[in-house]
Amino acid sequence: MNRFSILIICSLCCYTSYLFSQTKTIKYIDTKVSIDGKLEESVWQQLPEYTGFYNYAPNDEGLAEQQTEVKLFHDGENLYVGLVYHDIERKSQVGSLKRDVPIGLSDGFAMILDTQNQEQNAYYFSVNAYGTLIDGLVERISEGYDFSTSWNAVWNAKTSIDGNDKIYEVVIPLKFLNFNKDNAVFGVQFYMRDIKKNAWTILKNVKRNYRLFDLRFTEKFSVENLPSISSSKFAVTPSVTTNYLNDVVEEVDETPFIPSLDVQYSVTSSLKLDVTINPDFSQIDVDQQVTNLTRFSIFFPERRNFFLENADLFSNLGVDGVNPFYSRRIGANSDIQLGLKLSGNISPKTRIGVLNVQSDEDGDIASQNYVVFVGEQQLSKNITTTAYLINRQETDGFEFINDYNRVTGLNLNYRSNNNKWLGLVNFGKSFSNGISGENNFYHAGIWYNKRGLEWSAAIKNIGKNYITDLGFTPRLSNYDAINDVVVREGYTQSTVSIEHEKFYENSKALNSVRILNYSNNTYLDDTGKLNQSSHFLNSALFFKDLSAVYYVYTHDYVDLKYGFDPLGNGDALQPGTYNFGLLKIGYNSANNQKFRYSVNVQKGNYYSGKRIAGGVYLNYQLLPFANLELSYDVNAIHLNELGKETFHLTRFTGQIFFNNRLNWTTYVQYNTQRDNFNINSRLQWEYKPLSYIYLVISDNYNQDITRKDWGIAFKMNYRFDF
């Protein structure tokens, strides 16, 4: 063998060794560790160390000065994570001790686990410096990714401090993760949050023009000896609720006793069946009230746990403003008797979702059966398609009545290899008894994103008979305040947007300047006539501490077809054309201080009159004992001869933390537009992982502080794992 051949072989061996050394692996080691935040067991010394975290914010250039080391392994039942952050000071700062409050205002770390490695959805786990657990789901939306913290699992984490080093030790049972032995690669990303410096650092380099939890930028970890099935098949959670309700106006009170049951069965490690019987959701946080000065309904997010796991399969079927499935419609008018949900992967590239819910009869409200079928197929690395069928049907006992609404559709999603381009095409069609024609929905959109520049364009068309009883399509329904009727009318909408931001890594004062942020939504009615054109223009200065000063200018042209009564005084705006604009100037303080605040003032026109508005937000953190928030918004509207009104909206939130498992939260909301003064106070004790006791007091008054109704609810559940 000559020297050249030897050189080639040695080079290949070195290159192979290099590739092997670069392969990230979650090793299988058959051992247990004590979760105490110390990392003292010998197994931690046997594992490869993953480091080299990058800056993400406020600076997204280069490696982080304060580095983090991560080690991972599993024992066939649990995934273990050990993490050390080399801080430069001993103290820690947190924003909350309440479970599921995101760590954005705390020191801590987060990770996402794309256990199917499909870049469609993932699990989110994070721990703040005081050991508070936060878990949730990352899901794909039309223009990127978002996450919800309403999903929960039973897992554990502990923290400690060694000098200035912050140590985290985590155990996550594999039975809570949706994985496939034949696809033993997890997409993993780690984030380190240092709120003291207002900094994020990240394992896999991502520029800050992308969303923090973008699943296209995960490290690929090969998982050794991934088990084929979960060690646990069942999770059973019975609960009981007793709820005293007193309607002062109607002079009616009642004290129902409500038993309920939730069951989760692992059909496979990647396919789960959820069952809920007679569920009660009295412990759910109240919605944050808003002042609505538009002609259409406002979207509020789903908070009920039954609807949340694999929620992106069901809730991501449409686009903003046209969503064929909105789970909050279920149970809105009558109680849910029974709910079944089968969701997850049936192969590495195929996900399914099947939902069936039966609601009860309630007076004049008929019982209903709701069914949703969703299939998602990854056709290639770049293209994913989704097909769905949604059905609402009236029932009488076990019989179906011929009162139904059905919606079917097909979506096609594209992502480029360089992660700069996204594309989405949607087609939908609805069927309702006695209604035909003009029942289609079309949409096509494209998004481009690179550091410092983003733009998008989209167009959609909705027929007036595209009826979605289980959906959220607010603009189809036009309330005529003069004739007290709702008119359904189709429309075509075009949307364009562009944002340009310049970053200043070397400046001592500025972090970045948002030079231009502009968007336009134009609406044509079903005859092709211009109905509304809305413009949004914004610029902002972001300082080194991430405080910001900004302005927003909005301008609307509206061809008002139907009477609109924004003041609620019975004097409606008459049909006609209106041009009006509003200028808003505001300041947001740095969010790494114990006292945070923001303030804005607004002035301009509103339809045929004037509008002056303003708002202030205050937050004072007395951690680890309490967190106090106060916000106030005012809108003064003068519509000349139609009258004038000032809408006040105040919200106070007080949280007291006894420890990581026991807290007391009180919300006080005063909304003159809704003639409502509400107090909601909740004592929550997680006495065992995902087993809770709740005591909730709710009291409602009108704006004159005259009581309308009040109630006290006690709820207790207990989770059994078999």
Side-chain angles (χ1 to χ4, degrees):
M1 183 179 295
N2 59 37
R3 292 181 179 179
F4 181 74
S5 299
I6 295 174
L7 181 61
I8 293 294
I9 292 173
C10 290
S11 298
L12 289 173
C13 290
C14 291
Y15 182 67
T16 302
S17 175
Y18 170 80
L19 288 179
F20 181 78
S21 68
Q22 296 303 302
T23 301
K24 292 179 171 56
T25 304
I26 300 177
K27 290 183 173 294
Y28 168 76
I29 301 177
D30 187 12
T31 186
K32 304 289 184 184
V33 299
S34 174
I35 304 302
D36 55 12
K38 300 293 181 60
L39 305 182
E40 294 176 337
E41 292 85 358
S42 61
V43 64
W44 294 115
Q45 315 310 317
Q46 306 170 24
L47 297 168
E49 180 179 274
Y50 302 111
T51 185
F53 276 54
Y54 292 87
N55 290 313
Y56 176 81
N59 174 23
D60 62 355
E61 292 291 331
L63 292 172
E65 291 185 17
Q66 277 67 58
Q67 274 297 323
T68 303
E69 288 115 27
V70 182
K71 297 180 179 182
L72 307 91
F73 78 96
H74 78 94
D75 63 2
E77 294 184 3
N78 301 295
L79 173 66
Y80 297 93
V81 181
L83 183 145
V84 179
Y85 173 60
H86 298 293
D87 204 345
I88 59 174
E89 51 185 309
R90 183 175 177 82
K91 74 172 185 178
S92 296
Q93 182 176 327
V94 299
S96 177
L97 295 186
K98 187 176 181 181
R99 180 167 182 157
D100 286 347
V101 174
I103 65 165
L105 298 179
S106 299
D107 290 339
F109 95 94
M111 65 178 177
I112 54 176
L113 298 173
D114 181 2
T115 53
Q116 294 290 332
N117 193 30
Q118 289 187 336
E119 302 174 0
Q120 300 294 312
N121 67 339
Y123 299 96
Y124 167 89
F125 299 92
S126 67
V127 185
N128 73 18
Y130 282 33
T132 305
L133 305 183
I134 306 101
D135 47 15
L137 298 173
V138 179
E139 62 181 28
R140 178 177 55 82
I141 58 177
S142 57
E143 72 276 17
Y145 296 87
D146 203 354
F147 85 106
S148 164
T149 58
S150 297
W151 175 85
N152 293 297
V154 178
W155 57 293
N156 194 19
K158 296 293 182 181
T159 65
S160 68
I161 300 176
D162 183 8
N164 292 336
D165 290 346
K166 309 301 166 51
I167 303 173
Y168 300 80
E169 192 171 28
V170 178
V171 57
I172 302 171
L174 291 174
K175 64 187 177 184
F176 294 109
L177 305 179
N178 175 355
F179 60 85
N180 191 320
K181 180 178 174 62
D182 298 326
N183 183 30
V185 176
F186 289 1
V188 182
Q189 182 67 287
F190 283 95
Y191 311 85
M192 203 70 217
R193 177 60 163 160
D194 189 334
I195 187 62
K196 302 183 299 299
K197 298 191 302 179
N198 228 339
W200 286 95
T201 56
I202 192 166
L203 178 62
K204 178 69 177 291
N205 194 13
V206 181
K207 297 304 179 184
R208 55 183 165 179
N209 52 295
Y210 293 100
R211 296 190 183 220
L212 187 61
F213 303 116
D214 196 316
L215 299 182
R216 295 171 296 172
F217 298 95
T218 56
E219 289 281 6
K220 309 307 178 186
F221 280 75
S222 175
V223 187
E224 292 183 353
N225 298 336
L226 192 62
S228 57
I229 60 173
S230 170
S231 61
S232 175
K233 281 287 187 180
F234 279 102
V236 179
T237 308
S239 66
V240 294
T241 303
T242 181
N243 192 0
Y244 174 75
L245 302 170
N246 186 312
D247 189 328
V248 176
V249 177
E250 300 295 332
E251 297 184 344
V252 175
D253 61 356
E254 57 181 347
T255 310
F257 178 81
I258 306 172
S260 60
L261 181 68
D262 294 294
V263 179
Q264 185 174 83
Y265 172 67
S266 298
V267 180
T268 68
S269 59
S270 59
L271 187 66
K272 290 182 171 59
L273 175 67
D274 292 276
V275 181
T276 185
I277 301 173
N278 199 34
D280 170 78
F281 304 108
S282 60
Q283 83 284 0
I284 299 298
D285 278 345
V286 295
D287 288 319
Q288 185 167 334
Q289 295 186 25
V290 297
T291 300
N292 184 8
L293 298 179
T294 74
R295 309 191 308 276
F296 307 105
S297 301
I298 297 293
F299 179 88
F300 290 100
E302 176 62 82
R303 297 177 181 272
R304 297 169 295 178
N305 196 58
F306 171 76
F307 294 99
L308 289 172
E309 184 162 8
N310 286 310
D312 64 299
L313 271 170
F314 302 97
S315 62
N316 197 33
L317 301 177
V319 294
D320 185 33
V322 185
N323 199 334
F325 181 69
Y326 179 41
S327 58
R328 284 183 64 131
R329 302 286 189 208
I330 300 177
N333 299 316
S334 59
D335 293 335
I336 294 174
Q337 293 178 308
L338 174 68
L340 303 172
K341 183 176 70 173
L342 180 69
S343 61
N345 283 73
I346 58 175
S347 75
K349 295 186 177 182
T350 306
R351 298 171 71 205
I352 64 167
V354 181
L355 179 71
N356 190 318
V357 177
Q358 179 67 44
S359 68
D360 202 358
E361 182 181 5
D362 187 0
D364 296 333
I365 301 173
S367 59
Q368 303 285 339
N369 184 260
Y370 308 97
V371 177
V372 184
F373 295 97
V374 181
E376 180 185 277
Q377 179 68 39
Q378 190 170 351
L379 301 177
S380 69
K381 179 182 177 181
N382 306 104
I383 300 175
T384 303
T385 186
T386 305
Y388 59 89
L389 172 65
I390 303 165
N391 184 70
R392 177 212 53 84
Q393 188 129 14
E394 184 180 334
T395 59
D396 183 6
F398 292 100
E399 294 185 5
F400 289 101
I401 308 300
N402 195 34
D403 177 4
Y404 64 86
N405 171 247
R406 295 171 188 140
V407 183
T408 186
L410 184 69
N411 303 332
L412 201 64
N413 187 283
Y414 169 79
R415 296 169 297 176
S416 68
N417 288 328
N418 63 9
N419 295 322
K420 292 182 179 180
W421 296 91
L422 290 173
L424 179 64
V425 176
N426 308 74
F427 169 73
K429 196 176 187 70
S430 71
F431 305 88
S432 302
N433 53 298
I435 299 175
S436 62
E438 300 183 80
N439 56 345
N440 294 329
F441 158 57
Y442 308 92
H443 169 267
I446 187 170
W447 292 262
Y448 176 78
N449 184 2
K450 76 171 186 177
R451 191 174 188 265
L453 178 65
E454 300 178 38
W455 64 265
S456 66
I459 188 167
K460 58 175 171 260
N461 175 267
I462 304 95
K464 71 174 184 178
N465 291 327
Y466 180 71
I467 301 171
T468 59
D469 288 354
L470 281 183
F472 186 75
T473 54
R475 200 174 182 92
L476 282 179
S477 301
N478 297 267
Y479 176 65
D480 185 345
I482 297 174
N483 300 303
D484 193 25
V485 296
V486 176
V487 181
R488 197 167 59 242
E489 187 173 278
Y491 64 94
T492 299
Q493 177 185 350
S494 66
T495 301
V496 293
S497 69
I498 184 169
E499 181 176 342
H500 177 43
E501 188 167 0
K502 185 173 178 58
F503 304 104
Y504 296 88
E505 284 80 11
N506 299 321
S507 172
K508 294 183 179 180
L510 287 178
N511 181 267
S512 65
V513 176
R514 183 181 295 152
I515 299 171
L516 174 66
N517 182 14
Y518 170 77
S519 64
N520 169 259
N521 286 284
T522 296
Y523 303 87
L524 307 178
D525 65 19
D526 48 15
T527 68
K529 182 182 177 183
L530 179 62
N531 178 247
Q532 182 173 342
S533 183
S534 298
H535 302 267
F536 173 95
L537 181 64
N538 158 246
S539 296
L541 298 177
F542 297 93
F543 301 101
K544 279 300 182 184
D545 62 359
L546 294 188
S547 60
V549 60
Y550 65 91
Y551 80 88
V552 174
Y553 179 72
T554 59
H555 184 272
D556 286 89
Y557 164 84
V558 177
D559 182 6
L560 190 65
K561 289 189 172 184
Y562 310 102
F564 176 40
D565 182 14
L567 301 183
N569 61 3
D571 293 324
L573 290 163
Q574 296 298 306
T577 59
Y578 297 86
N579 276 282
F580 53 96
L582 185 74
L583 177 64
K584 176 181 179 180
I585 298 174
Y587 174 78
N588 299 331
S589 72
N591 63 7
N592 63 346
Q593 305 299 313
K594 289 186 176 181
F595 176 67
R596 303 184 303 128
Y597 65 95
S598 63
V599 61
N600 71 81
V601 292
Q602 306 172 51
K603 185 175 182 180
N605 302 318
Y606 181 73
Y607 287 90
S608 61
K610 304 292 184 181
R611 177 184 170 193
I612 297 176
V616 62
Y617 168 82
L618 308 173
N619 173 226
Y620 190 67
Q621 299 176 3
L622 296 168
L623 272 297
F625 309 110
N627 192 337
L628 307 176
E629 294 183 9
L630 177 66
S631 63
Y632 172 68
D633 291 283
V634 59
N635 279 272
I637 298 174
H638 195 312
L639 293 180
N640 302 315
E641 68 277 2
L642 298 180
K644 60 182 179 179
E645 186 65 70
T646 300
F647 296 121
H648 302 273
L649 175 61
T650 303
R651 178 183 173 95
F652 168 79
T653 303
Q655 300 180 75
I656 297 175
F657 308 104
F658 302 100
N659 53 48
N660 286 346
R661 295 290 183 88
L662 179 63
N663 60 79
W664 177 28
T665 303
T666 299
Y667 302 100
V668 179
Q669 298 187 101
Y670 179 69
N671 188 343
T672 60
Q673 187 186 41
R674 295 182 58 181
D675 189 24
N676 188 44
F677 175 69
N678 168 260
I679 301 173
N680 183 280
S681 190
R682 179 176 72 175
L683 187 68
Q684 174 180 315
W685 178 30
E686 188 180 9
Y687 63 93
K688 177 182 176 292
L690 293 190
S691 297
Y692 292 93
I693 290 177
Y694 303 95
L695 181 64
V696 184
I697 300 174
S698 183
D699 210 352
N700 291 289
Y701 302 79
N702 63 23
Q703 66 185 36
D704 298 322
I705 319 300
T706 300
R707 176 178 274 169
K708 298 187 292 186
D709 58 75
W710 66 283
I712 301 176
F714 173 84
K715 180 173 182 176
M716 178 178 181
N717 65 23
Y718 189 90
R719 182 184 174 100
F720 297 92
D721 285 288
F722 299 101

